[in-house]
């Protein structure tokens, strides 16, 4: 079982990881992964967009950190967001620019997949 779930944004495959660090932040904000999942499913429009971008930023940052710490000697595929030999996460502002409204459902599913994989 891989610790990493990949999501494609603006043509690049970003790694996402539901690590202890991500879990801690989700517990602090939502009370746990299940409550976050429920909140994501019930959220409307702008609130859902805010949740998606916040969760993507967190999970991608954790995925890039994982790759940089533990898989730095493994060659990255061509469509990876690697800059100067390091996996580079996307800040919230870039996510808000790159992601379209029609991407929200797919990205929500990817977030839930990542959390599910990290919880196993």
């Amino acid at each position: 079982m891989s610790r990493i779930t990949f999501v494609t944004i603006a043509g690049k495959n970003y790694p996402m990881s539901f690590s202890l660090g991500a879990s801690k932040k989700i517990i602090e904000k939502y009370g746990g992964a299940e409550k976050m999942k429920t909140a994501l499913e019930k959220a409307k429009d702008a609130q859902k967009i805010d949740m998606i971008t916040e969760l993507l930023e967190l999970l991608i940052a954790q995925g890039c950190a994982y790759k940089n710490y533990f898989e730095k000697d493994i060659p990255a595929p061509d469509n990876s967001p690697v800059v100067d030999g390091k996996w580079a996460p996307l800040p919230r502002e870039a996510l808000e620019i790159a992601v379209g409204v029609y991407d929200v459902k797919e990205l929500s599913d990817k977030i839930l997949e990542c959390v599910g994989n990290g919880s196993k």
Side-chain angles (χ1 to χ4, degrees):
M1 169 68 58
S2 176
R3 298 179 83 27
I4 301 295
T5 301
F6 285 91
V7 61
T8 303
I9 298 173
K12 300 279 185 188
N13 279 337
Y14 287 87
M16 296 191 302
S17 175
F18 184 60
S19 61
L20 283 177
S23 181
K24 180 180 175 187
K25 289 186 179 186
I26 287 171
I27 289 169
E28 288 170 356
K29 177 134 189 173
Y30 300 101
E34 281 303 313
K35 290 181 181 176
M36 180 271 304
K37 180 181 175 184
T38 301
L40 188 58
E41 290 168 351
K42 291 182 177 181
K44 301 288 181 213
D45 301 332
Q47 182 186 17
K48 188 169 212 152
I49 291 168
D50 282 343
M51 286 182 71
I52 296 285
T53 52
E54 178 181 271
L55 291 165
L56 281 174
E57 181 181 36
L58 171 64
L59 297 172
I60 289 171
Q62 292 292 295
C64 287
Y66 181 87
K67 290 286 203 179
N68 288 332
Y69 278 112
F70 302 109
E71 296 183 5
K72 60 185 165 206
D73 54 343
I74 298 173
D78 288 341
N79 61 346
S80 302
V82 176
V83 178
D84 296 327
K86 290 195 158 224
W87 289 79
L90 280 173
R92 183 183 184 114
E93 179 182 18
L95 286 165
E96 289 177 347
I97 293 167
V99 174
V101 171
Y102 297 107
D103 300 323
V104 169
K105 170 73 171 109
E106 179 184 341
L107 294 172
S108 177
D109 291 346
K110 277 294 186 180
I111 289 167
L112 296 176
E113 177 185 336
C114 177
V115 171
N117 288 344
S119 298
K120 292 180 183 176

